[in-house]
Amino acid sequence: MSVTAPDYITRLNPEQREAVEALDGPLLVLAGAGTGKTRVLTTRFAHLLMTGKARPWEVLSVTFTNKAAKEMRERVAAIIGRPVEGLWLGTFHALCARMLRRHAELIGLRTNFTILDADDQMRLLKQVMAAANIDSKRWPAPGMMAVIQRWKDRGLTPSRITAAEDSDFANNRASEIYAAYQRRLLELNAADFGDLLLHVTEILRTRPDVLADYHRSFRYILVDEYQDTNLVQYLWLRLLAQHEDPNRRNICCVGDDDQSIYSWRGAEIENILRFEKDFPGARIVRLESNYRSTKPILAAAAGLIARNTGRLGKTLRSGRNDASGDKVRVVSLWDSEDEARMVGDRIEAARRSGHPLSEIAILVRAGFQTRSFEERLITLGLPYRVVGGLKFYERAEIRDAMAYLRIVQQPADDLAFERIVNTPKRGLGDSGLRAIHELARAQAIPLSVAAERIAETDALKPKPRTALRELMRGFARWRAVNEKEGHVVAAATVLDESGYTEMWKLDRSPEAPGRLDNLKELIRAMGDYPSLAGFLDHVALVMETDENAEQERIQLMTLHAAKGLEFDTVFLPGWEEGLFPSQRSMDEGGEKSLEEERRLAYVGITRARKTAVISHAANRRIYGNWTSSLPSRFLDELPADAIQREGASQMRQHRMADTPSVFMGQQGLMARRPRVIEAGPWEVKERPAPASGIAKGERVFHQKFGYGTVVAVQDDRLDIEFDHAGEKRVLDRFVQKAGDV
């Protein structure tokens, strides 16, 4: 190299340059949000090649996504001025698959083994469980797969499972099923995704000759997002990095302990916290110059995360020239409906001033929160997309529930009937469904009528015949409930008596609790409509919303899905005790989970470049219940000089004084729980009626249908001709006089 540093070095700030030029020995780069982590990692890679420290195939570079690997390859090529061939660059799974192809015979596979996808894995596990006579209704296969995946994430083969690591799943037969599943995979010359890391780590642990060969091959190791590694990934990296020659332990890990938010996916924050212990004499470089956010946003985030004790410590400072900016807004609202309205109104105002919609994000803690914002945005005609998931009414469990309700309303709905007749499983195989279809065609009757008739014959086997007869009698009963007790009670009854909610309660997969939450939110949403027909009409209109892919859209997603992204304006709703921080997380994980919830809040705030709006509501209707909500403890932890409070702050203080703390038990935490006003999982307590009456001829506003004119009044029911939605009958408590909006 010449004495003058190359351009790619001089463009770095001092912290970044230190991280790039410290090539030898173990190095941990603590890269805060927006500090140029990717730039450092790719420049360091290029610098290794440009200085001759390593040839391309002598660097092992690990990323978490294929997109990150592709970006790194392109950036390195741009710096050195030519494409780079022969790289060991990719995700953990991609690199381990490459290694396993080399050494497959060492664990009983052939080099042409098949990597099973998720569907094939589940089908194989169901076969193994059936052979072991495991009751799949009591012990669903997705639950067993979650147990197996957890073991694989921890680097545990069947022979390594101790009593402490064992599970009581399937009456303490989980390890037995795991062993049988692994044997069956070998017989099929197949591996699942968890096996890729598990098998390679086991080979490196048990075959010193193979490990020594990789030690000779890789002179340098680069790791991105180190805070997100699970235990088996950590073990694989440590084996490759712990060279017998201390001078060859050249591992560089880049990550942020303050952004470790994936423990539910197996990530272990301890991996990054113990780096210095694993590699004595390791150098730590902190990247603290943030080029993304304004000073108030960084100050709010830094003040919040400083409350965590499980961190290595760093303080973000702004590297922007225009970083003064507005303070973080903390908005107090009466209820969750006001919250959705506030967010919608501010987005509309921003759009009118020229703010691109694609630079606006609404980041929620739980998936069920998206519904109220989706419907508000639809009412206002603001295009949006749900990132990392489906829109609320497109989710499988919501479509299933809606299919049940469509049949209650319209028995001739064959498409809805086909969707749910065997969901949950009722023993109707292909032959049984074919018999129903044939009878329906022969007699020109709806499928539901054909099912009623065939259930009274001997055309089906006894078990499915009984189940089908009970289902059809159920529909008759649910229609009566709808007539007598209303659509909300009927919907709750349908989901419970059909066995649909029980199906998800028994499901042990990680997604099941969220699906149940969404079903409860669906029941809650129905309380806003006067009838089942009105609600179904509304959903049909929602599903027909224009989906022009080229249109600029507001981004709506969970906080977990937002990691790595950034926007000019970010809304952070629902900062209340029990919702954020999540009561479920704290109950299960205590102080450790509370710190992860705080890291999640930190991630949310640092997604914003210019504007961050945090909101909380004094009352929130969750799963059909109005609750008196306490502001999140995180709001009290935000530095006062970095935030600006808006709304009813006196209400906030009253609520904090009015509701006692509740001891959480084993975790030893004191948590302020929201007070439930209405008991019962499905029960709905409507929003209080407006104080003043509404007369015929008045202009009003409805949260879902927009503006309209009252054409008739009968008790608390209003017939309204809406400007865009046509004539609807609604309860007066769900509208406001136009002048009050």
Side-chain angles (χ1 to χ4, degrees):
M1 288 182 62
S2 63
V3 175
T4 304
D7 287 346
Y8 66 83
I9 292 291
T10 58
R11 288 196 293 264
L12 303 174
N13 69 29
E15 304 157 343
Q16 295 170 337
R17 181 166 179 171
E18 181 184 1
V20 167
E21 294 184 325
L23 296 178
D24 296 323
L27 172 69
L28 176 62
V29 180
L30 287 177
T35 57
K37 166 184 69 72
T38 304
R39 185 178 194 180
V40 165
L41 202 60
T42 54
T43 305
R44 181 182 173 87
F45 197 151
H47 193 53
L48 284 169
L49 304 182
M50 295 290 282
T51 57
K53 282 280 192 177
R55 292 170 291 184
W57 52 89
E58 292 178 325
V59 180
L60 177 68
S61 185
V62 191
T63 66
F64 261 82
T65 65
N66 291 314
K67 180 182 176 183
K70 181 175 182 289
E71 182 180 358
M72 182 176 291
R73 186 185 300 274
E74 292 171 348
R75 287 199 186 191
V76 170
I79 291 174
I80 67 176
R82 65 180 186 279
V84 188
E85 302 298 333
L87 295 178
W88 278 79
L89 167 61
T91 64
F92 281 97
H93 290 99
L95 294 170
C96 283
R98 185 174 170 183
M99 290 181 173
L100 190 56
R101 296 284 181 197
R102 286 184 168 189
H103 311 288
E105 73 283 351
L106 295 180
I107 48 95
L109 291 171
R110 298 185 295 279
T111 56
N112 64 341
F113 65 83
T114 301
I115 301 173
L116 300 185
D117 62 20
D119 288 341
D120 288 336
Q121 292 172 35
M122 192 62 67
R123 187 160 53 250
L124 179 61
L125 180 59
K126 287 178 179 178
Q127 294 172 4
V128 170
M129 293 177 69
N133 295 315
I134 302 297
D135 184 352
S136 61
K137 290 185 177 179
R138 186 177 180 189
W139 307 106
M144 183 67 234
M145 184 59 76
V147 173
I148 290 175
Q149 190 57 58
R150 185 167 66 248
W151 280 333
K152 292 187 177 185
D153 286 346
R154 298 188 62 77
L156 298 172
T157 61
S159 62
R160 291 182 182 272
I161 295 174
T162 64
E165 293 280 0
D166 209 346
S167 168
D168 61 359
F169 192 91
N171 291 326
N172 300 307
R173 296 181 64 191
S175 55
E176 171 195 332
I177 298 167
Y178 179 26
Y181 173 72
Q182 292 300 98
R183 286 194 299 270
R184 187 64 181 136
L185 282 167
L186 292 178
E187 290 169 1
L188 294 172
N189 190 37
D192 65 19
F193 278 97
D195 284 331
L196 299 177
L197 275 148
L198 182 71
H199 287 330
V200 172
T201 301
E202 193 66 13
I203 290 169
L204 297 179
R205 278 202 279 204
T206 58
R207 292 296 298 264
D209 55 327
V210 176
L211 181 58
D213 184 49
Y214 283 114
H215 281 166
R216 286 189 292 271
S217 298
F218 301 135
R219 298 180 64 85
Y220 292 89
I221 299 175
L222 304 177
V223 187
D224 193 12
E225 303 285 10
Y226 189 57
Q227 79 282 347
D228 291 335
T229 53
N230 61 30
L231 191 54
V232 72
Q233 292 164 344
Y234 163 80
L235 293 172
W236 178 73
L237 285 169
R238 194 177 67 173
L239 284 163
L240 291 171
Q242 293 282 15
H243 198 286
E244 60 182 12
D245 180 358
N247 295 321
R248 291 286 300 274
R249 295 178 182 175
N250 300 321
I251 181 171
C252 170
C253 294
V254 180
D256 185 0
D257 52 326
D258 291 335
Q259 295 190 70
S260 180
I261 58 173
Y262 296 122
S263 66
W264 51 277
R265 220 161 56 182
E268 299 270 0
I269 190 174
E270 288 79 9
N271 294 349
I272 193 169
L273 297 180
R274 66 182 171 214
F275 187 86
E276 289 180 282
K277 183 178 179 181
D278 289 335
F279 300 98
R283 189 170 182 174
I284 296 184
V285 175
R286 289 171 168 81
L287 304 184
E288 299 176 309
S289 294
N290 175 287
Y291 295 93
R292 174 189 301 161
S293 306
T294 62
K295 287 181 181 178
I297 290 172
L298 294 180
L304 177 66
I305 201 63
R307 300 295 186 110
N308 273 7
T309 58
R311 62 190 298 258
L312 295 170
K314 63 184 173 306
T315 303
L316 293 181
R317 58 180 180 272
S318 179
R320 293 174 43 169
N321 295 325
D322 60 339
S324 55
D326 295 330
K327 293 183 177 183
V328 174
R329 268 33 177 215
V330 176
V331 184
S332 303
L333 297 147
W334 171 247
D335 63 20
S336 48
E337 296 176 13
D338 287 342
E339 182 179 56
R341 189 176 297 112
M342 178 274 294
V343 171
D345 290 349
R346 294 193 184 210
I347 291 175
E348 272 204 313
R351 181 175 65 166
R352 286 194 296 269
S353 66
H355 194 309
L357 292 182
S358 59
E359 286 298 335
I360 298 174
I362 304 171
L363 309 183
V364 298
R365 174 61 183 90
F368 76 85
Q369 289 176 264
T370 68
R371 189 201 62 82
S372 60
F373 295 103
E374 287 185 58
E375 298 205 1
R376 183 61 183 167
L377 296 176
I378 289 169
T379 298
L380 296 173
L382 294 170
Y384 71 95
R385 73 183 184 103
V386 178
V387 178
L390 296 170
K391 293 182 177 181
F392 184 82
Y393 291 110
E394 293 174 350
R395 295 166 185 171
E397 64 277 12
I398 300 302
R399 284 183 176 270
D400 288 344
M402 294 297 298
Y404 273 104
L405 297 177
R406 282 163 56 187
I407 300 168
V408 170
Q409 179 66 25
Q410 171 52 274
D413 191 332
D414 284 356
L415 291 175
F417 185 82
E418 283 183 295
R419 183 178 182 96
I420 57 82
V421 65
N422 209 28
T423 303
K425 298 294 184 184
R426 297 185 172 92
L428 284 167
D430 291 340
S431 60
L433 294 173
R434 192 181 309 115
I436 296 173
H437 276 275
E438 288 173 353
L439 181 61
R441 283 196 300 272
Q443 299 187 9
I445 56 178
L447 289 177
S448 60
V449 177
E452 278 185 294
R453 293 180 182 177
I454 209 167
E456 301 302 328
T457 71
D458 295 330
L460 301 177
K461 293 179 180 179
K463 184 177 179 180
R465 182 171 68 241
T466 301
L468 186 60
R469 184 186 300 127
E470 180 55 36
L471 175 65
M472 302 319 298
R473 289 175 179 173
F475 276 116
R477 185 169 61 253
W478 301 329
R479 290 185 191 106
V481 172
N482 184 44
E483 289 294 324
K484 293 180 181 179
E485 301 183 54
H487 59 295
V488 176
V489 174
T493 306
V494 168
L495 294 178
D496 286 342
E497 293 186 357
S498 67
Y500 192 74
T501 52
E502 185 66 15
M503 179 185 78
W504 288 117
K505 288 177 182 176
L506 292 174
D507 193 309
R508 302 294 185 91
S509 67
E511 297 82 14
R515 294 185 190 276
L516 286 167
D517 289 349
N518 291 335
L519 291 172
K520 293 171 183 175
E521 175 63 13
L522 176 70
I523 298 296
R524 193 221 69 74
M526 295 180 69
D528 291 349
Y529 298 87
S531 66
L532 179 57
F535 178 67
L536 293 174
D537 285 348
H538 165 73
V539 174
L541 291 171
V542 168
M543 298 294 282
E544 287 299 316
T545 302
D546 178 31
E547 289 292 337
N548 181 1
E550 302 301 317
Q551 193 175 22
E552 265 205 348
R553 296 177 180 279
I554 299 155
Q555 312 298 299
L556 180 55
M557 69 192 84
T558 65
L559 286 159
H560 283 100
K563 186 172 176 291
L565 304 178
E566 56 186 79
F567 307 91
D568 284 346
T569 297
V570 169
F571 291 93
L572 298 162
W575 281 43
E576 295 133 28
E577 287 295 307
L579 180 55
F580 193 38
S582 161
Q583 193 66 53
R584 180 186 297 157
S585 294
M586 292 191 297
D587 287 345
E588 293 174 357
E591 186 70 37
K592 184 176 179 180
S593 290
L594 176 60
E595 293 216 344
E596 179 159 331
E597 290 287 299
R598 190 176 284 112
R599 291 194 294 271
L600 191 56
Y602 170 86
V603 166
I605 295 172
T606 55
R607 297 312 92 196
R609 297 191 194 102
K610 300 176 181 178
T611 303
V613 180
I614 300 170
S615 57
H616 68 96
N619 302 281
R620 185 171 295 275
R621 195 159 51 178
I622 302 178
Y623 314 151
N625 305 316
W626 277 108
T627 66
S628 177
S629 302
L630 288 168
S632 169
R633 67 191 71 193
F634 298 154
L635 297 177
D636 293 332
E637 297 172 358
L638 296 171
D641 57 354
I643 64 174
Q644 178 177 319
R645 295 191 181 273
E646 301 177 10
S649 58
Q650 71 277 10
M651 175 174 59
R652 172 178 174 272
Q653 294 167 357
H654 167 73
R655 291 296 180 189
M656 291 180 68
D658 183 53
T659 306
S661 297
V662 178
F663 185 62
M664 285 179 55
Q666 293 180 346
Q667 288 78 16
L669 291 177
M670 296 298 289
R672 298 169 304 199
R673 294 178 185 266
R675 183 178 56 202
V676 179
I677 296 174
E678 285 291 323
W682 300 110
E683 197 169 341
V684 175
K685 183 174 187 292
E686 305 293 359
R687 191 180 185 186
S692 57
I694 296 175
K696 179 179 177 180
E698 285 195 272
R699 290 283 290 173
V700 294
F701 178 83
H702 187 280
Q703 182 178 345
K704 307 299 186 301
F705 303 128
Y707 288 96
T709 302
V710 178
V711 295
V713 179
Q714 182 179 358
D715 296 327
D716 60 347
R717 289 169 170 77
L718 307 175
D719 289 336
I720 303 173
E721 182 67 38
F722 289 100
D723 297 350
H724 300 292
E727 186 169 332
K728 305 283 183 183
R729 173 167 290 183
V730 301
L731 298 175
D732 61 5
R733 69 195 68 184
F734 296 116
V735 300
Q736 293 174 273
K737 293 182 179 181
D740 296 336
V741 178

